[in-house]
Short mmCIF file of all heavy atoms in Angstrom, two decimals:
data_model
loop_
_atom_site.label_atom_id
_atom_site.label_comp_id
_atom_site.label_asym_id
_atom_site.label_seq_id
_atom_site.Cartn_x
_atom_site.Cartn_y
_atom_site.Cartn_z
N GLU Q 96 0.24 -1.85 0.41
CA GLU Q 96 -0.21 -0.48 0.35
C GLU Q 96 0.87 0.44 -0.26
O GLU Q 96 2.09 0.17 -0.18
CB GLU Q 96 -0.47 0.07 1.78
CG GLU Q 96 -1.93 0.00 2.17
CD GLU Q 96 -2.75 1.13 1.67
OE1 GLU Q 96 -2.40 1.68 0.58
OE2 GLU Q 96 -3.80 1.45 2.32
N ASP Q 97 0.41 1.51 -0.92
CA ASP Q 97 1.36 2.50 -1.41
C ASP Q 97 1.96 3.31 -0.27
O ASP Q 97 3.16 3.49 -0.15
CB ASP Q 97 0.66 3.43 -2.42
CG ASP Q 97 -0.67 3.98 -1.91
OD1 ASP Q 97 -1.10 3.61 -0.79
OD2 ASP Q 97 -1.32 4.75 -2.62
N ILE Q 98 1.07 3.81 0.58
CA ILE Q 98 1.54 4.77 1.67
C ILE Q 98 0.58 4.66 2.87
O ILE Q 98 -0.60 4.45 2.67
CB ILE Q 98 1.57 6.19 1.13
CG1 ILE Q 98 2.17 7.16 2.11
CG2 ILE Q 98 0.21 6.68 0.67
CD1 ILE Q 98 2.57 8.49 1.45
N ILE Q 99 1.15 4.62 4.07
CA ILE Q 99 0.29 4.62 5.26
C ILE Q 99 0.52 5.98 5.94
O ILE Q 99 1.61 6.33 6.24
CB ILE Q 99 0.60 3.42 6.15
CG1 ILE Q 99 0.37 2.15 5.42
CG2 ILE Q 99 -0.26 3.49 7.46
CD1 ILE Q 99 0.78 0.87 6.16
N ASP Q 100 -0.62 6.69 6.12
CA ASP Q 100 -0.57 8.01 6.61
C ASP Q 100 -1.18 8.00 8.04
O ASP Q 100 -0.52 7.67 8.96
CB ASP Q 100 -1.35 8.96 5.62
CG ASP Q 100 -1.35 10.40 6.01
OD1 ASP Q 100 -0.52 10.83 6.78
OD2 ASP Q 100 -2.21 11.11 5.44
N THR Q 101 -2.46 8.36 8.19
CA THR Q 101 -3.12 8.30 9.51
C THR Q 101 -3.24 6.82 10.00
O THR Q 101 -3.24 6.59 11.20
CB THR Q 101 -4.52 8.85 9.52
OG1 THR Q 101 -5.33 8.16 8.65
CG2 THR Q 101 -4.50 10.37 9.05
N GLY Q 102 -3.43 5.90 9.05
CA GLY Q 102 -3.59 4.49 9.47
C GLY Q 102 -5.04 4.11 9.46
O GLY Q 102 -5.42 2.97 9.71
N LEU Q 103 -5.99 5.09 9.29
CA LEU Q 103 -7.40 4.79 9.42
C LEU Q 103 -7.95 3.83 8.40
O LEU Q 103 -8.68 2.90 8.71
CB LEU Q 103 -8.17 6.13 9.33
CG LEU Q 103 -8.10 7.11 10.52
CD1 LEU Q 103 -8.79 8.36 10.25
CD2 LEU Q 103 -8.66 6.42 11.78
N SER Q 104 -7.46 3.99 7.15
CA SER Q 104 -7.99 3.06 6.06
C SER Q 104 -7.49 1.65 6.31
O SER Q 104 -8.20 0.66 6.12
CB SER Q 104 -7.70 3.58 4.65
OG SER Q 104 -6.39 3.96 4.59
N LEU Q 105 -6.27 1.54 6.76
CA LEU Q 105 -5.63 0.20 7.02
C LEU Q 105 -6.35 -0.43 8.22
O LEU Q 105 -6.64 -1.66 8.23
CB LEU Q 105 -4.18 0.34 7.28
CG LEU Q 105 -3.39 -0.87 6.93
CD1 LEU Q 105 -3.68 -1.39 5.51
CD2 LEU Q 105 -1.84 -0.65 7.08
N LYS Q 128 4.47 7.08 6.24
CA LYS Q 128 4.53 8.45 6.44
C LYS Q 128 3.95 8.76 7.89
O LYS Q 128 2.82 8.51 8.14
CB LYS Q 128 3.63 9.20 5.40
CG LYS Q 128 3.83 10.65 5.42
CD LYS Q 128 3.20 11.35 4.15
CE LYS Q 128 1.73 11.58 4.43
NZ LYS Q 128 1.08 12.36 3.34
N ARG Q 131 1.21 12.15 10.59
CA ARG Q 131 -0.20 12.22 11.04
C ARG Q 131 -0.71 10.88 11.55
O ARG Q 131 -1.96 10.68 11.63
CB ARG Q 131 -1.07 12.69 9.88
CG ARG Q 131 -0.57 14.02 9.27
CD ARG Q 131 -1.62 14.68 8.43
NE ARG Q 131 -2.17 13.81 7.39
CZ ARG Q 131 -3.37 13.86 6.93
NH1 ARG Q 131 -4.25 14.74 7.34
NH2 ARG Q 131 -3.81 13.01 5.98
N GLY Q 148 4.82 15.52 4.01
CA GLY Q 148 4.63 15.95 2.64
C GLY Q 148 3.37 15.35 1.98
O GLY Q 148 2.86 14.43 2.58
N PHE Q 149 3.08 15.81 0.83
CA PHE Q 149 2.03 15.20 0.03
C PHE Q 149 2.71 14.64 -1.17
O PHE Q 149 3.15 15.34 -2.08
CB PHE Q 149 0.86 16.15 -0.34
CG PHE Q 149 -0.22 15.42 -1.02
CD1 PHE Q 149 -1.15 14.75 -0.29
CD2 PHE Q 149 -0.31 15.37 -2.40
CE1 PHE Q 149 -2.14 13.98 -0.88
CE2 PHE Q 149 -1.31 14.63 -2.99
CZ PHE Q 149 -2.24 13.96 -2.27
N LEU Q 150 2.79 13.31 -1.23
CA LEU Q 150 3.62 12.65 -2.24
C LEU Q 150 2.78 12.23 -3.45
O LEU Q 150 1.62 11.82 -3.36
CB LEU Q 150 4.26 11.41 -1.71
CG LEU Q 150 5.07 11.62 -0.33
CD1 LEU Q 150 5.78 10.40 0.12
CD2 LEU Q 150 5.97 12.82 -0.46
N VAL Q 151 3.43 12.39 -4.60
CA VAL Q 151 2.80 11.94 -5.88
C VAL Q 151 3.79 11.18 -6.73
O VAL Q 151 5.01 11.28 -6.53
CB VAL Q 151 2.27 13.09 -6.72
CG1 VAL Q 151 1.09 13.87 -5.98
CG2 VAL Q 151 3.34 14.10 -7.11
N LEU Q 155 0.90 7.13 -6.79
CA LEU Q 155 0.25 8.12 -5.95
C LEU Q 155 -0.24 9.32 -6.78
O LEU Q 155 0.50 9.80 -7.63
CB LEU Q 155 1.24 8.56 -4.91
CG LEU Q 155 1.61 7.50 -3.85
CD1 LEU Q 155 2.91 8.01 -3.18
CD2 LEU Q 155 0.52 7.38 -2.82
N ASP Q 156 -1.41 9.78 -6.50
CA ASP Q 156 -2.02 10.75 -7.36
C ASP Q 156 -2.32 12.11 -6.50
O ASP Q 156 -2.37 12.09 -5.32
CB ASP Q 156 -3.38 10.31 -7.91
CG ASP Q 156 -4.50 10.29 -6.87
OD1 ASP Q 156 -4.28 9.72 -5.74
OD2 ASP Q 156 -5.52 10.87 -7.11
N TYR Q 157 -2.52 13.13 -7.34
CA TYR Q 157 -3.21 14.31 -6.85
C TYR Q 157 -4.28 14.54 -7.81
O TYR Q 157 -4.06 14.82 -9.02
CB TYR Q 157 -2.29 15.53 -6.78
CG TYR Q 157 -3.01 16.81 -6.47
CD1 TYR Q 157 -3.65 17.02 -5.24
CD2 TYR Q 157 -3.18 17.75 -7.46
CE1 TYR Q 157 -4.39 18.18 -5.03
CE2 TYR Q 157 -3.88 18.92 -7.19
CZ TYR Q 157 -4.47 19.09 -5.98
OH TYR Q 157 -5.18 20.28 -5.76
P1 LIG C 1 -4.52 6.78 5.73
O1 LIG C 1 -4.50 8.20 6.23
O2 LIG C 1 -5.81 6.13 5.93
O3 LIG C 1 -3.35 5.99 6.35
O4 LIG C 1 -4.19 6.85 4.19
C1 LIG C 1 -5.20 6.66 3.28
C2 LIG C 1 -4.79 6.84 1.82
O5 LIG C 1 -4.58 8.18 1.58
C3 LIG C 1 -3.50 6.12 1.39
O6 LIG C 1 -3.58 4.79 1.12
C4 LIG C 1 -3.24 6.96 0.14
O7 LIG C 1 -3.99 6.41 -0.94
C5 LIG C 1 -3.70 8.33 0.57
N1 LIG C 1 -2.59 9.19 0.97
C6 LIG C 1 -2.06 9.32 2.18
N2 LIG C 1 -0.94 10.18 2.14
C7 LIG C 1 -0.82 10.44 0.85
C8 LIG C 1 0.15 11.28 0.10
O8 LIG C 1 1.15 11.82 0.64
N3 LIG C 1 -0.02 11.37 -1.24
C9 LIG C 1 -1.01 10.76 -1.92
N4 LIG C 1 -1.13 10.89 -3.20
N5 LIG C 1 -1.92 9.98 -1.25
C10 LIG C 1 -1.85 9.83 0.11
#
Side-chain angles (χ1 to χ4, degrees):
E96 262 281 25
D97 46 358
I98 186 165
I99 300 175
D100 183 18
T101 62
L103 288 176
S104 50
L105 207 52
K128 193 169 84 174
R131 304 198 304 151
F149 187 81
L150 309 185
V151 297
L155 292 161
D156 75 308
Y157 171 67

